[in-house]
Amino acid sequence: MNARTNESWLEDLRTTGPVRDAALDDLHAIVSKGLPYALSRWLSPDDPLFTPLVEEVSQETLLRVLDQLDTFEGRSMFTTWVHKIAIRIALTELRRKRWQDSSLDELVDNEENPAPERLMADPQAGPETSTERADMLTRIRRILDEELTEKQRQALVLLGLQDLPMEEAARIMKTNRNALYKLLHDARLRLKRRLAAEDLNAQEVLSAFESR
Amino acid sequence: MTQPQNDTNQLPDELIENLIRSLEHTEDKECTCDEVYAVVDQYAEAEFRGEDVQRLMPLIKQHMELCHNCCEEYEALLDILEKNDPA
């Protein structure tokens, strides 16, 4: 495989015929070689899903690269940009699958066992909790009730309580990952400003939470 | 007395604690996931070369502290750069 510059990658992929085919073959080999490193924290190479996933993602990556070729600005190596696209495709799929599997496990568990403890937990402080902690939690819950919009609270529940990946939570809320991040940023800013207005900061609140 | 519009009673203590912890990294101006995605390849290469990314791209670094999904994608990219390196 010839090492290409960014410019020659773009030139070869924009042409037609055997030159383009060779570039696509080379790119496929590069993505297929790199992906297992990216997936190593997620999936064992012995997992039966591993090889088909690498192939599926590699193919999808090539299609997306060709579609987005004009958006490459040359601020990194072309192959790093391609790996970035492959990772987004692969991790989106893995997160979706992992969440679906865990939801299914929870559903099966619930048929035979009580709901997970954290979902059943009494939101009020338990007897072992200090008064300072209990008071602070009550105060923060009141602030959250007053400051958060319904959508912000829904996002917190989906991401923090139900552990959904960003893409899945965004899909349920009929938005996208970017807008969801902005929604949560607005929520954090509102809380931060409200705490400041009440002469509190995050560190003080956390200290009170730690006083068990 | 009217009831509050929202009910946070279903939010467990741990989630509230994590939310408050995230306020320590919260800034008025933050990058969005799309803005991070646009430059994460450049950011990962800079990190791979040993450059001080916190100084060079502080908003990207700050986003990584708060966005688990973007951070995972960045770390996966860094894995490829490091393990593909023939050196």
Side-chain angles (χ1 to χ4, degrees):
Chain A
M1 187 191 308
N2 294 326
R4 291 179 173 83
T5 62
N6 284 357
E7 291 71 25
S8 57
W9 273 116
L10 293 175
E11 191 179 329
D12 291 355
L13 289 170
R14 281 178 175 141
T15 188
T16 53
V19 171
R20 183 179 192 246
D21 292 344
L24 283 173
D25 285 346
D26 289 348
L27 207 51
H28 183 275
I30 287 168
V31 174
S32 303
K33 181 176 173 227
L35 263 178
Y37 300 131
L39 301 183
S40 61
R41 297 175 198 224
W42 291 74
L43 208 56
S44 160
D46 300 329
D47 191 301
L49 283 176
F50 192 89
T51 305
L53 181 71
V54 168
E55 180 53 30
E56 189 185 322
V57 171
S58 300
Q59 294 288 348
E60 177 63 28
T61 301
L62 296 191
L63 292 175
R64 228 176 269 192
V65 164
L66 291 175
D67 191 47
Q68 298 175 6
L69 211 50
D70 291 341
T71 68
F72 176 63
E73 295 178 346
R75 290 192 282 193
S76 67
M77 284 172 63
F78 181 75
T79 48
T80 308
W81 181 75
V82 172
H83 286 311
K84 168 178 83 171
I85 293 171
I87 287 168
R88 171 59 65 91
I89 296 168
L91 295 200
T92 299
E93 175 61 18
L94 282 170
R95 287 183 192 120
R96 189 184 59 78
K97 179 148 186 23
R98 183 170 287 187
W99 176 70
Q100 279 179 341
D101 290 349
S102 68
S103 301
L104 195 62
D105 287 347
E106 201 162 279
L107 197 65
V108 172
D109 284 349
N110 287 349
E111 286 179 358
E112 296 173 3
N113 302 310
E117 193 177 332
R118 64 179 185 158
L119 293 177
M120 302 279 285
D122 182 349
Q124 303 304 316
E128 76 285 357
T129 306
S130 75
T131 310
E132 187 186 3
R133 175 181 162 83
D135 288 350
M136 185 59 86
L137 270 166
T138 303
R139 188 173 175 188
I140 296 298
R141 282 184 190 282
R142 179 177 50 78
I143 289 174
L144 290 175
D145 280 341
E146 290 170 1
E147 293 293 332
L148 296 187
T149 65
E150 184 56 35
K151 273 196 167 302
Q152 288 168 338
R153 194 174 63 84
Q154 185 190 8
L156 281 177
V157 168
L158 291 174
L159 294 167
L161 190 57
Q162 298 181 10
D163 254 352
L164 262 70
M166 289 278 277
E167 280 90 357
E168 285 299 311
R171 189 182 56 75
I172 288 170
M173 294 181 69
K174 296 184 171 50
T175 182
N176 58 52
R177 176 167 155 181
N178 204 54
L180 187 54
Y181 185 87
K182 281 184 184 169
L183 185 77
L184 291 168
H185 178 219
D186 285 346
R188 286 186 283 107
L189 270 182
R190 285 176 71 104
L191 289 178
K192 193 175 178 179
R193 287 171 184 158
R194 174 66 183 268
L195 290 187
E198 298 209 5
D199 270 339
L200 278 172
N201 63 48
Q203 201 52 55
E204 284 172 300
V205 176
L206 291 170
S207 296
F209 283 176
E210 282 160 13
S211 61
R212 291 173 190 269
Chain B
M1 197 171 113
T2 55
Q3 290 294 314
Q5 188 186 1
N6 295 325
D7 178 7
T8 59
N9 274 351
Q10 63 175 297
L11 300 181
D13 297 353
E14 189 189 352
L15 191 152
I16 292 179
E17 200 167 323
N18 287 339
L19 179 61
I20 298 296
R21 189 163 283 118
S22 74
L23 300 186
E24 293 186 291
H25 298 289
T26 296
E27 303 292 344
D28 288 354
K29 168 70 185 150
E30 291 184 9
C31 283
T32 63
C33 297
D34 285 352
E35 288 167 337
V36 169
Y37 183 71
V39 297
V40 71
D41 42 347
Q42 187 185 355
Y43 183 82
E45 285 186 352
E47 170 79 41
F48 178 61
R49 288 191 297 266
E51 294 171 15
D52 184 356
V53 290
Q54 185 147 13
R55 186 181 60 81
L56 293 171
M57 302 169 92
L59 288 177
I60 306 299
K61 176 80 177 170
Q62 188 256 357
H63 183 96
M64 298 292 181
E65 301 281 355
L66 289 163
C67 184
H68 184 55
N69 285 194
C70 285
C71 191
E72 281 176 343
E73 291 169 17
Y74 156 68
E75 286 174 349
L77 187 55
L78 203 54
D79 279 343
I80 293 181
L81 293 179
E82 287 171 350
K83 291 169 184 163
N84 253 343
D85 184 27

